Each structure stands twice: as C-alpha cells, then as structure tokens.
Amino acid sequence: MTSDHYFSAQPSKPEKRRTISVELGGATRKVETSGGIFSPDRIDKGTAVLLESAPEPSTTGNLLDIGCGWGPIALSLALASPEAIVYAVDVNERSIGLTRDNARALGLGNVKASLPEAVDPATTFDTIWSNPPIRIGKEALHELLLLWLPRLAPGGTAWLVVQKNLGADSLQKWIGTQMPASWTVERTSTDNAFRTIRIHRPQES
C-alpha cells in the first residue's frame, strides 16, 4: 500500500484543490475536490447508483456516510434532510477537510465530518448510506462494517452499493450472518455493474 491510496490517512502528494460541477439534490452545484482521495473528478458510478436507488433518508435524527470522500453522499443526505445531523466519516484527512468545506460552502450546517474515532460510540443512526471502500481488503472491510452497521437505531436502514465483480453477493451473505436474525439483509436493485444492499433493523416491540 502506498501513501497515495485514497484510504491513506494523509496522501503524500500536495493538496491541489479544484472546483467541479456536479448534480446533487436535484441541482447543479460547485464543489471542491483534490487528488489523493476517492473519485476526485466526478461522482463515481457506484455512488450515482446509490443516490438514484436509495429512498429518501430519515428526515430527522442521525444519518451516516461511511467513507465520505469529498462528500457527495453526505451532502446529498444533508440536502434531503436539513433537520437531521449528518455524520461523514473517512480515514483520509484530506477527504474530511473537503467534505467539511463543501458543506460549509453549500450552507449545510448539519454535516459533521470527522475521523471515525471522533464519533461518540453511543451514537446510533436512523439512516446509513455508503459506497464502502471494497479495495481496502476483506478483513478491513468487515471490520469497518461491523463498526457501523450494528449502530443502526431501531427502525433504521442502511443502504450499501457494491460492485458485482468485487464480491457484492458474498458480502451480502456475510452481512446476513453477522447481523441479528431479526434484521433484514437483502439485495434491492441491480444495474449492469452494481448491486444495492439494504440492511434494516426492526423497531423494538
């Protein structure tokens, strides 16, 4: 692993920000991005699939974007649910800074971008959206998902988008073995290259 991977804490190359235009929340918006992070030039295909296929997030409570990059998912959550608090986490400090600054520039005061360990472990989430970093390796990916998915609040739902040829089906089966039997883990949609996985925690009786 080199220091230039998007899942490195501090990319070795100097940060050179640039502005791009993207479609977020039904409008064209300008955001800042940089090298040394995931998909710096555009909204990547997997994230686009997730944003198109996931239903509206919870309008209140805590929402979570796992692996925020420059912020397309977190910003979309914040635009859709201005009364909610959106947590955006990433191990890449450059990504955190970009997400934080992009949220500020768009007037989204409900976004909290930080390293994972900065989030109170007692915090639970009503909605989780993620294009998880599959390329960090199976063991690290499993550790990441086991950190966050069990923190769904009662009645909460997580939506993951995973490339088919990078193990979407096996990941879905594995999640099903790790979550409580009362939880629902299912594939909800498929396009030519990606699957969307829904994980739902039922309301407590």
Side-chain angles (χ1 to χ4, degrees):
M1 180 187 301
T2 73
S3 58
D4 289 329
H5 279 293
Y6 65 82
F7 41 83
S8 298
Q10 295 179 330
S12 62
K13 293 182 179 178
E15 181 173 358
K16 294 183 179 179
R17 291 194 177 191
R18 59 188 182 276
T19 301
I20 62 173
S21 294
V22 294
E23 293 292 321
L24 291 174
T28 301
R29 306 178 196 274
K30 293 187 181 299
V31 297
E32 286 192 324
T33 183
S34 172
I37 66 168
F38 177 64
S39 191
D41 300 319
R42 64 185 68 85
I43 296 176
D44 69 285
K45 176 61 175 174
T47 296
V49 168
L50 177 66
L51 296 178
E52 291 168 5
S53 61
E56 289 297 309
S58 176
T59 58
T60 59
N62 299 321
L63 317 182
L64 174 65
D65 170 15
I66 306 169
C68 60
W70 54 260
I73 291 175
L75 299 175
S76 296
L77 287 168
L79 288 164
S81 302
E83 301 302 316
I85 299 174
V86 178
Y87 291 82
V89 296
D90 206 298
V91 298
N92 187 316
E93 295 179 5
R94 185 173 297 176
S95 293
I96 295 168
L98 286 164
T99 296
R100 185 180 294 137
D101 291 347
N102 284 330
R104 184 182 300 117
L106 294 176
L108 300 172
N110 59 330
V111 174
K112 294 185 175 184
S114 71
L115 294 170
E117 54 265 32
V119 180
D120 185 341
T123 303
T124 59
F125 302 96
D126 300 279
T127 300
I128 297 174
W129 284 3
S130 181
N131 180 1
I134 300 296
R135 296 184 187 279
I136 63 176
K138 182 181 293 187
E139 183 176 348
L141 176 66
H142 287 180
E143 182 179 347
L144 178 70
L145 294 177
L146 288 177
L147 173 65
W148 297 110
L149 292 180
R151 292 166 67 175
L152 277 172
T157 305
W159 298 86
L160 311 180
V161 64
V162 182
Q163 201 165 337
K164 285 193 293 187
N165 65 1
L166 292 180
D169 292 340
S170 60
L171 182 64
Q172 177 190 336
K173 292 177 182 177
W174 175 82
I175 294 172
T177 68
Q178 300 300 307
M179 298 302 106
S182 61
W183 291 30
T184 302
V185 180
E186 61 185 350
R187 185 175 74 229
T188 61
S189 66
T190 303
D191 83 343
N192 290 334
F194 294 89
R195 300 202 192 281
T196 304
I197 302 169
R198 174 181 178 267
I199 302 102
H200 177 71
R201 177 179 179 176
Q203 289 283 1
E204 296 177 350
S205 57

